[in-house]
Amino acid sequence: SRGWIVLFYVGGLAALAVLSDLMRHALVALAKADRIARRRLLLIGSASDIESLIADLPADHAGVRVVATVVLPQPGTDCTISSHDLGRKLAEAAVKARALHVEDVVILTDWSQTDLIHAVVEPFRALPTAIHLGASSIVGPFSDARISRFAAMTAVSLTAPPLSPMQAFVKRTFDIVVSALALVLLSPLFLLIA
């Protein structure tokens, strides 16, 4: 009868919601107990940049764990480091990264410091890690930022261009086809409910 069908759908929806919530809680608990492998990060940058990034991480750290940091002098301060000392410090960090099985190295420095960036990247090239250049100060407010290539030039695209007429047509067609298909597939349910 109709009552059983309604009960089946409402009960099934409630069961799905409860199951989804239970799975989320279980995954968070497993991540906190280090039962699920999280991405292991090495952060390289000034103390303030590292502290800022760690503070911005969500409470459950979104599947990442900071396992090591390398503090560099703040740009524009009197505390400078010689290239020899920097090279030694970064070589030690690379050895530490290998021992800790670091999966991602995140460089947190001003993009205009190209010599520093090259110096930081070099010791980590031989490691099986992904190297990322932090850009939160530049692209932080732009949630859709991505890397684009134009011939030999690489750029950070801060916003997506509007849909072209062809893309808009395809999107509209997809919307109509999917909604019509959903109406056809759900029409028996609508008949039973009515």
Side-chain angles (χ1 to χ4, degrees):
S1 78
R2 291 182 201 166
W4 284 108
I5 291 174
V6 169
L7 183 64
F8 173 76
Y9 279 103
V10 170
L13 182 62
L16 283 175
V18 168
L19 183 63
S20 172
D21 195 46
L22 285 174
M23 286 182 60
R24 186 179 58 80
H25 284 298
L27 288 173
V28 167
L30 287 171
K32 285 181 180 177
D34 283 335
R35 301 281 185 197
I36 295 177
R38 296 187 283 173
R39 307 274 313 162
R40 300 167 66 84
L41 299 182
L42 167 66
L43 303 180
I44 301 174
S46 69
S48 62
D49 289 338
I50 291 172
E51 289 169 8
S52 175
L53 178 65
I54 291 173
D56 288 344
L57 287 175
D60 62 359
H61 295 283
V64 299
R65 183 171 63 177
V66 177
V67 294
T69 60
V70 177
V71 177
L72 301 176
Q74 182 79 26
T77 62
D78 294 337
C79 300
T80 59
I81 187 169
S82 70
S83 60
H84 180 316
D85 290 341
L86 177 64
R88 185 180 47 77
K89 188 173 191 174
L90 292 171
E92 290 171 1
V95 170
K96 187 175 183 179
R98 183 181 295 277
L100 292 173
H101 305 290
V102 168
E103 296 167 309
D104 296 277
V105 175
V106 181
I107 304 168
L108 304 168
T109 188
D110 185 10
W111 284 18
S112 65
Q113 296 185 313
T114 55
D115 293 337
L116 176 62
I117 293 169
H118 289 292
V120 170
V121 168
E122 198 55 41
F124 296 97
R125 285 186 182 223
L127 297 180
T129 63
I131 301 172
H132 309 276
L133 185 57
S136 60
S137 63
I138 298 172
V139 297
F142 304 98
S143 61
D144 295 330
R146 64 189 188 289
I147 301 294
S148 300
R149 292 199 179 266
F150 304 100
M153 183 184 81
T154 303
V156 177
S157 299
L158 301 177
T159 61
L163 295 177
S164 69
M166 184 60 177
Q167 290 171 324
F169 173 76
V170 168
K171 181 183 179 303
R172 184 70 177 146
T173 303
F174 176 80
D175 291 344
I176 291 170
V177 168
V178 169
S179 61
L181 185 63
L183 281 173
V184 169
L185 291 176
L186 293 174
S187 61
L189 175 66
F190 296 151
L191 283 173
L192 287 173
I193 293 173

